[in-house]
Amino acid sequence: LATGPRQSNGIFYEIRTYDIKPAKMKEFLEMVNKYVHFRTAHSELVGFWYSELGAMNKVFHIWKYDNFAHRTAVRHALANDKDWQGKFISAALPLIEKQHNEVAYLVPWCQLGKPPKEGGVYEWVTFQMKPGGPALWGEAFRAAINAHIHTGYTSLIGVFHTEYGLLNTVHVLWWNKSPDHRAAGRHRAHEDARVVAAVRDSVRFLESQQNVLLIPLQCSPLK
């Protein structure tokens, strides 16, 4: 996070969250795995997950775009893709209760990462920060993230700052070997003086926080 330009190019990420009807989650996930290749033919999928803890019957997926003109062209192509519309959209929409999307940028000091191996779990942490933007809380937030990285129990995948949606929102995506490994690491972190000091400094700017444990789909590039 910085007080200057967020990045030197137009790349952004669309974060989509869908609430699925409880009795239809299994059906929806099977459809995604079967038909998502029609969607990924048009633009890059970063990851696709379903919630396990912290939220119920939700799916999260992230799409990468070069710029807003790129997204417009992709959306137009999707609207005219008979396979995507006929085989997935027409069948999937009745299974969805609610849709939400955000546009976010990676913070300048973070590159989109990959897990050290497949087979783990992901943690999606949403921070609602006080108004004022990175100029107010950016350095303290970065220090808190780095303190957790230095403990070694978790791997940072990405830090996203919203541009459209609820502003002053930061989403942090972590990878862990398992929920138990994450729990043990959190206990150690709470006893680490570096983590405690960094969190105490950054929490001054925090309004709220939500954590969701995510499981990647078979089709997800991040898994």
Side-chain angles (χ1 to χ4, degrees), residues 2-7 108:
T3 57
R6 193 174 281 110
Q7 57 185 30

Side-chain angles (χ1 to χ4, degrees), residues 9-214:
N9 56 50
I11 292 174
F12 66 85
Y13 298 84
E14 183 175 4
I15 301 165
R16 287 184 164 243
T17 308
Y18 296 169
D19 288 9
I20 309 301
K21 294 179 180 179
K24 299 296 185 179
M25 178 61 87
K26 182 175 184 293
E27 181 180 351
F28 182 84
L29 297 180
E30 289 174 348
M31 289 180 57
V32 173
N33 279 318
K34 184 176 181 180
Y35 295 120
V36 74
H37 65 279
F38 293 125
R39 176 62 183 83
T40 55
H42 295 279
S43 66
E44 180 180 347
L45 173 64
V46 174
F48 209 121
W49 305 265
Y50 65 89
S51 60
E52 179 71 10
L53 295 171
M56 297 290 288
N57 302 302
K58 286 183 179 289
V59 296
F60 294 73
H61 41 126
I62 303 175
W63 300 87
K64 181 180 179 180
Y65 293 101
D66 296 334
N67 49 49
F68 288 98
H70 179 212
R71 182 185 184 276
T72 298
V74 168
R75 301 302 299 175
H76 178 76
L78 287 170
N80 291 281
D81 187 322
K82 294 181 180 180
D83 284 328
W84 178 243
Q85 294 295 328
K87 295 180 180 179
F88 181 80
I89 294 296
S90 61
L93 283 180
L95 313 182
I96 301 173
E97 290 190 327
K98 185 169 62 175
Q99 295 175 299
H100 175 71
N101 75 332
E102 299 170 287
V103 166
Y105 294 99
L106 282 172
V107 297
W109 46 268
C110 173
Q111 299 294 320
L112 190 63
K114 293 184 178 181
K117 63 179 182 179
E118 293 185 2
V121 296
Y122 290 79
E123 184 177 8
W124 183 255
V125 190
T126 299
F127 299 90
Q128 186 59 42
M129 309 302 289
K130 291 183 178 180
L136 177 66
W137 41 259
E139 289 304 318
F141 189 87
R142 180 179 183 180
I145 294 295
N146 285 336
H148 282 85
I149 293 172
H150 292 155
T151 63
Y153 79 90
T154 187
S155 297
L156 179 66
I157 303 300
V159 181
F160 305 88
H161 182 211
T162 56
E163 181 75 9
Y164 286 98
L166 188 60
L167 296 183
N168 295 295
T169 301
V170 183
H171 300 292
V172 183
L173 183 62
W174 301 94
W175 178 89
N176 291 281
K177 294 178 182 178
S178 69
D180 286 320
H181 184 263
R182 183 261 184 198
R186 290 285 291 175
H187 288 308
R188 291 196 304 272
H190 291 163
E191 299 173 353
D192 189 309
R194 298 170 299 176
V195 175
V196 172
V199 170
R200 282 178 176 171
D201 188 38
S202 66
V203 78
R204 297 179 292 125
F205 307 107
L206 181 65
E207 297 282 1
S208 65
Q209 177 180 339
Q210 182 181 17
N211 293 32
V212 182
L213 184 71
L214 299 178

